Amino acid sequence: PADQPPPDQPAPDRSPPDRSVSVVIATYTERRWTELTETVRSALTQQPSPARVVVAVDHNEPLLARVRAELPQVHAVRNRYARGASGTRNSGVDVVDTEIVAFIDDDEVASPGWLARLTAAFTDPAVVGVGGSLVPIWSGRQPGWFPDECGWAIGVSYRGMPTTSTVVRNVWSANMAVRHEAFRSVGGFRVGFGKLADRSRPEDTELCIRMSAAVGGGRWMYVPDAVVGHHVPADRMRFGFFLRRSYNEGYGKIEMARLLRGGTDDTAQLDVERDYVRRTLPRGIARGLRQFVTGADRCGATRASAIVAAMTAAALGVARASLSTRVGTDGPAPADRQPAVVDHGGAR
């Protein structure tokens, strides 16, 4: 028949969409338009494809209008809550009704098979959420001074993370899937706490801990085979950004611990971070120095020094947050979140 492909070309995959999964993409600036369109394409071409792809826009009406005009295959909504990634993602979840919701950011590209691998772990009813790995897409070469042990500073998986599927305390919202019911039962991401412009706080870790507790020991799985590529622009490849992000990481983790403990200074939730500082970072320092001494890599000592600098900056953030009396949220508790505006924008 005339509508069949030539023999040397594979037949197109006509598998129906997975009606149990939606994808939410948070965005906030036109500067990432090219990356956003790439993110959308990578989500829509998953096999099986998601039931719906939602692009949630953070208080940027011109960008919302552009998404609706130029990306008609997605459902575009505005952030109905306070500014920031947390409210933006919650707004995206508000318009879906699938059993599972996956999240990916507007500067990322999902690899083929990402969504199927990410959601396969939900066959275990005890699993409330799943996360995958993030690999850097450098705008140029990776800086010689940048240590792989600190990949979190640029939003990618770091050396020392599991290499096989395993149970973890938390995953990252840039490559995450959740059971919709469990997510809603805790009020979603904590509005007013998290990423806003250049401010970065661990809203994803905080969500994971709350969801596990609320479901009575619900598990989070890390599935490294569910891969997302994360664009790393030139301004995030600078040492100054690296230090600021390290400082914010330390500060944000203390704020998170206070929120989880009702404003007290109990940091029992930070055992994962302590283990990372005690094990992964010293190994990274030793590796860098060994590479330098043996002549295997002249940048080894620089990377070792960068790890020490990151530890120092994070420690300063911890100290500053510990001296502060303010709990790090500008919004209501998740269960009491109220929309700032009402969005009746339909699927576009």
Side-chain angles (χ1 to χ4, degrees):
D3 61 351
Q4 286 188 348
D8 60 340
Q9 295 183 16
D13 188 334
R14 301 184 186 279
S15 58
D18 184 344
R19 297 298 181 186
S20 68
V21 183
S22 296
V23 175
V24 172
I25 303 168
T27 189
Y28 71 100
T29 176
E30 294 91 336
R31 293 193 301 272
R32 291 185 177 178
W33 179 257
T34 299
E35 290 85 352
L36 173 62
T37 58
E38 194 175 6
T39 305
V40 168
R41 178 198 57 77
S42 72
L44 290 170
T45 56
Q46 293 295 306
Q47 294 294 340
S49 60
R52 172 177 283 184
V53 173
V54 178
V55 174
V57 182
D58 189 13
H59 293 270
N60 187 329
E61 291 300 315
L63 177 57
L64 177 65
R66 186 176 183 182
V67 171
R68 287 177 170 169
E70 299 186 32
L71 298 176
Q73 64 273 55
V74 306
H75 186 105
V77 298
R78 60 174 56 85
N79 178 7
R80 304 166 62 217
Y81 307 99
R83 287 183 183 274
S86 294
T88 305
R89 294 192 187 101
N90 288 344
S91 297
V93 177
D94 285 346
V95 299
V96 304
D97 58 3
T98 53
E99 177 186 355
I100 299 169
V101 183
F103 298 97
I104 186 173
D105 284 350
D106 62 351
D107 55 354
E108 296 173 348
V109 182
S111 63
W114 161 71
L115 194 58
R117 295 187 183 103
L118 189 68
T119 57
F122 287 109
T123 55
D124 180 350
V127 172
V128 296
V130 183
S133 61
L134 295 108
V135 299
I137 303 174
W138 300 97
S139 57
R141 291 185 178 181
Q142 176 177 343
W145 59 264
F146 186 86
D148 290 337
E149 289 80 4
C150 297
W152 50 264
I154 53 170
V156 302
S157 302
Y158 55 86
R159 187 194 297 270
M161 292 183 67
T163 57
T164 59
S165 296
T166 188
V167 176
V168 293
R169 180 196 66 178
N170 69 278
V171 299
W172 294 342
S173 54
N175 185 358
M176 170 193 283
V178 297
R179 289 195 189 275
H180 195 170
E181 183 178 356
F183 180 86
R184 284 194 174 280
S185 72
V186 300
F189 290 99
R190 188 180 292 271
V191 176
F193 182 77
K195 297 173 181 64
L196 174 60
D198 293 333
R199 183 82 180 270
S200 179
R201 293 177 291 186
E203 80 284 354
D204 36 22
T205 303
E206 196 266 350
L207 170 73
C208 292
I209 294 172
R210 278 192 292 111
M211 283 181 63
S212 292
V215 181
R219 295 201 296 266
W220 285 85
M221 293 293 298
Y222 175 64
V223 181
D225 289 342
V227 181
V228 161
H230 181 212
H231 288 280
V232 184
D235 61 346
R236 296 195 175 191
M237 297 165 59
R238 297 171 181 165
F239 193 67
F241 175 87
F242 177 72
L243 291 180
R244 289 194 300 274
R245 187 60 180 269
S246 299
Y247 174 88
N248 285 334
E249 186 73 9
Y251 197 105
K253 287 296 172 67
I254 296 300
E255 289 187 309
M256 180 195 76
R258 285 180 174 175
L259 288 171
L260 293 169
R261 298 297 298 175
T264 72
D265 288 323
D266 188 333
T267 58
Q269 300 287 358
L270 302 181
D271 287 344
V272 172
E273 285 76 14
R274 294 189 183 95
D275 185 69
Y276 168 76
V277 171
R278 292 169 181 167
R279 297 174 181 268
T280 303
L281 293 185
R283 290 171 183 169
I285 294 171
R287 181 181 299 106
L289 294 177
R290 184 169 59 251
Q291 290 172 336
F292 176 74
V293 170
T294 61
D297 190 339
R298 290 181 299 175
C299 292
T302 307
R303 287 193 294 274
S305 299
I307 293 176
V308 174
M311 294 172 68
T312 303
L316 289 173
V318 167
R320 178 70 181 275
S322 298
L323 292 173
S324 173
T325 58
R326 179 177 179 271
V327 176
T329 178
D330 301 317
D336 300 323
R337 62 190 175 114
Q338 297 293 325
V341 294
V342 177
D343 182 15
H344 296 292
R348 303 284 296 183

